Amino acid sequence: MNDHQTEAGLQAMRGCPVAHHGADPTRLYGPDAATDPEGIYERLRKEHGSVAPVLLEGDVPAWLVLGYRDNRRVLDNPRQFSRDARIWRDWADGRVAENSPLIPMIGWRPDCISQDGEPHRRLRAAVTDGLQAAAARGIRRHATHFANKQIDAFADTGRADLVSDYAEYLPMLVLTRILGLAEAEGRDLVESCAQVLKGGEDALVHNERIMVILGELAERKRAEPGGDFTTALLGHAAGLDEDEVVSHLRLVLLAAHTTTSNLLARVLQLILTDSARLTGLISGQLNISAVVEEVMWNSPPLAVLPGRFAAGDLELGGHQIQEGDLLVLGLAAGNADPDVRPDTGVSVQGNQAHLAFSSGPHECPGQGIGQSIIEIAVDVLLHRLPGLTLAVPADELTSTASTWESRLDSLPVEFTV
């Protein structure tokens, strides 16, 4: 190895989160992470404090932000912690493969969450205006229609899996109306969205499939405008180009469907494993929004949010972060931070300070739509299926996690026909 290669290697090590903390970094993917992500977060908190070095798929180094206050600092300060992946040092230096399954989640694209400052404000205005217009055209009506349609398919059987038969499809079906997609296209896209979040070798293939379908949608709506989000983006005063339009369709599709379907499954799990909550909802004594709030604290739909990049050398959580380092936001770990929740058994009702929808300039603009879908989904389900109860003991319910989320595997139920 010559002097130039040695110096290059030292520079890479100086900028690597893992290099500062020993030879056995923790992977946020793989078999252990899939079964016990919460255990990993807590071990990392004990070993490293509120910020910890980790490895993402492909053993790509990153910092996982575990502390509530540190998450807020990163999310609320885009000048220090940029969303622009073009300053990601490992990517710029060629240490991340172009076919890495991280790219669909972390790589730069021409959408509002990949940019800061004025470019972000311009693009986000188009998204926010389009979503508001879509919401005004009847989200709750669409949710009611598709909730009943999904239930019709199993209502006379007395049994169902509320994950695969209900929660996995309902948000996407509502999104087909919002975006202007055909219902059949929406059903096909459910699997592709799941694979992008899951990661692995199929992530890029499914991401490309999503882009092709949404590109065709944009072409159709340019020729035949309608009262939908796609048409609103195409005609917005911000003047989005073709790539920007398709990238934002992808953003809304992925973010709205995956988070809402996961959150809906967790809300139904909580209701069906607690008879007092179930009785309270059926009798009208308990508001569904209180249950949703509790789940957003304890099981946020995105456990880890990608990603931020250090705009300069700085200190965070007692660690020296180098310019260009990748940080991923531990939303689930932050919500359980003992510094802000010393007793997670204490009720969080009325406390909306959770991290489930992110924070700062990139806070989720469609959270109201997701909550409306969930409220309708639960209300219709409880009224359509009398005697609804779990078909297995609660402790037999299992979850599988990827780097970014932990999803309920199934929710088998029985009810009176």
Side-chain angles (χ1 to χ4, degrees), residues 180-210:
L181 283 163
E183 180 179 331
E185 289 177 309
R187 291 186 182 277
D188 287 343
L189 283 167
V190 167
E191 175 64 15
S192 289
C193 288
Q195 291 299 325
V196 170
L197 268 289
K198 183 179 179 181
E201 59 185 18
D202 292 333
L204 283 170
V205 173
H206 282 277
N207 187 70
E208 181 59 28
R209 182 168 178 265
I210 291 170

Side-chain angles (χ1 to χ4, degrees), residues 36-55:
D36 187 23
E38 293 84 3
I40 290 176
Y41 305 151
E42 289 313 302
R43 177 173 59 78
L44 288 171
R45 200 193 306 272
K46 290 176 182 176
E47 292 176 359
H48 301 286
S50 61
V51 178
V54 295
L55 293 175

